[in-house]
Amino acid sequence: MDVQKWYVRTSKLALALAIIRSKPADKSSREYTEHLAMMVSEQESKWRSKVEALEAEVLQLRQNLLLSKICSGSYKSGNLSSQLQAQEPRSSENTLTPMEDSGCDLSNEQRTESLELSQHFVESCTPIPFPPLPLVKRPCATLENPLSSHMKFLQHLLELKNLTESGSLKTDLTYFEKDSSTVSDSVIQLLDGLITFYHNPKLPFSSFWTEAIDTLARLISDYNLSNYILKKCSKKLEEFEKTLLQIILGNNNINRFQVQHYVSHSLVTLGSCSLLRKSIISLLLSEVNSFADVLGAVNQEPASYDVTRYENIFFLFWVLEQLLQKETKEGNTASIGHDDQEIKKFLQKHDETISQLSDAFPLFTFYLWRLGILLNSAEIETVKN
């Protein structure tokens, strides 16, 4: 350690002497040092940008290669070619119904374009080792949406899944398991972009973000694909869920309700995936339980409370109702998880909380009552089954 410290001090001294001797006459040593540091920082920033651009290009090449391999393997096994005339790619089913002034225009023209892209992709899959993939430019493929290439790759992957026999993609991905990191890396890149966007959402909303969340939900809903995604992306998915939640609760803009409506629909779309629904329900109930405790304290000893958070909490109630109704409709009530601590806490304190807060906060307790009915109904269905 003494030798290392001596070398470090000697190097610093040599650098200082070199700067002093080479400095221009019209600048002080301090000014010249700051100038050199700025030059190094700018150069480092340029190199970092170049590295990021090269990494993005490498990932896109990996995406194209993986799709080509899967497509080629499907042709060789006869799985894909026998299905081309019998099936058509499925368009997004969980896309948010656009509001008139939201900018989320998911028109039939856009859906038709997606189908044409899928057909073009299938036609390009000729039985050669690495068939070329069409990189058709869509409206979202602009500088504003550099993530469109990742979403396009993931959509192609889903389209191949829909065009193959049940289980065939699992075989392909097992065979190409060393390339499965391409899928998870693409999902992480897409999630990073979504998190950045939702930290500061602006009107009008592009349909790109709605389509991206729908694509994520469809990917994770697929058992074979989710195995490769959740291993590496679970923390990033949890971060995204919390980002959406905080945008709903923390937004205090006067005209925030259109944003809240849009983000709430995004949470519902993400919760359409049964593998994510339980964690989202638990996360939302945690906030509801916490705020119910705050209102309980306010009711006992009158004090000020966050009115904005009180107004925003009703969007969480709406999301919870949608997800619980979906869970009941799909008959997956056992997966809600009544062993979950937040659900237990909600049900144990449900009647007491309603009794305490019904006079001071009638609307809040009304929604608590509605949630209690949905959760208790799910528990009854679980017992019956």
Side-chain angles (χ1 to χ4, degrees), residues 59-60 62-67 70 133 148-159 179 182-184 186-187 215 219:
L59 180 55
Q60 187 171 7
R62 287 167 57 201
Q63 292 169 351
N64 293 345
L65 182 60
L66 177 58
L67 287 177
I70 295 175
L133 296 174
S148 59
S149 63
H150 303 307
M151 190 173 75
K152 201 158 46 174
F153 160 71
L154 297 172
Q155 288 175 335
H156 282 327
L157 199 60
L158 284 168
E159 288 162 4
D179 298 316
T182 303
V183 179
S184 55
S186 301
V187 170
T215 301
L219 277 167

Side-chain angles (χ1 to χ4, degrees), residues 281-290 337 339-348 375:
I281 289 174
S282 180
L283 186 64
L284 298 183
L285 276 178
S286 174
E287 291 295 334
V288 171
N289 288 334
S290 175
D339 56 340
D340 182 270
Q341 292 301 317
E342 296 301 333
I343 295 178
K344 275 186 176 181
K345 180 180 178 181
F346 180 87
L347 292 175
Q348 287 172 357
L375 283 169

Side-chain angles (χ1 to χ4, degrees), residues 60 76 97 147 205 220-222 231 256 293 295:
Q60 187 171 7
K76 288 177 180 178
T97 302
L147 301 171
F205 293 109
I220 302 172
S221 295
D222 185 277
K231 287 179 182 177
R256 66 184 180 275
D293 291 339
L295 295 183

Side-chain angles (χ1 to χ4, degrees), residues 131-307:
L133 296 174
L135 297 178
V136 180
K137 291 185 178 180
R138 300 181 63 182
C140 63
T142 64
L143 293 177
E144 294 181 355
N145 289 311
L147 301 171
S148 59
S149 63
H150 303 307
M151 190 173 75
K152 201 158 46 174
F153 160 71
L154 297 172
Q155 288 175 335
H156 282 327
L157 199 60
L158 284 168
E159 288 162 4
L160 276 175
K161 171 69 168 62
N162 294 333
L163 286 170
T164 54
E165 293 178 352
S166 176
S168 62
L169 187 59
K170 178 179 179 181
T171 303
D172 288 334
L173 286 179
T174 302
Y175 181 75
F176 301 115
E177 188 169 1
K178 63 181 180 181
D179 298 316
S180 64
S181 62
T182 303
V183 179
S184 55
D185 288 347
S186 301
V187 170
I188 287 176
Q189 291 288 328
L190 192 58
L191 283 169
D192 280 333
L194 285 166
I195 290 170
T196 301
F197 169 75
Y198 278 100
H199 272 308
N200 187 26
K202 295 179 180 179
L203 298 173
F205 293 109
S206 168
S207 60
F208 172 86
W209 306 107
T210 303
E211 192 176 357
I213 294 178
D214 178 70
T215 301
L216 281 174
R218 291 169 55 201
L219 277 167
I220 302 172
S221 295
D222 185 277
Y223 174 76
N224 298 327
L225 293 175
S226 64
N227 287 335
Y228 298 94
I229 295 171
L230 294 177
K231 287 179 182 177
K232 291 185 62 176
C233 306
S234 56
K235 291 185 178 179
K236 187 66 68 174
L237 279 164
E238 183 179 352
E239 181 185 353
F240 181 48
E241 293 170 4
K242 291 181 178 179
T243 298
L244 293 177
L245 175 63
Q246 292 307 316
I247 289 300
I248 294 176
L249 290 177
N251 194 337
N252 59 1
N253 295 329
I254 296 176
N255 298 319
R256 66 184 180 275
F257 297 108
Q258 186 179 344
V259 174
Q260 308 292 62
H261 187 74
Y262 176 85
V263 179
S264 298
H265 273 282
S266 298
L267 262 177
V268 171
T269 301
L270 200 62
S272 65
C273 171
S274 58
L275 291 176
L276 299 178
R277 195 178 303 147
K278 179 181 176 181
S279 65
I280 294 175
I281 289 174
S282 180
L283 186 64
L284 298 183
L285 276 178
S286 174
E287 291 295 334
V288 171
N289 288 334
S290 175
F291 197 68
D293 291 339
V294 170
L295 295 183
V298 170
N299 191 48
Q300 291 179 0
E301 296 182 10
S304 60
Y305 62 94
D306 191 342
V307 177

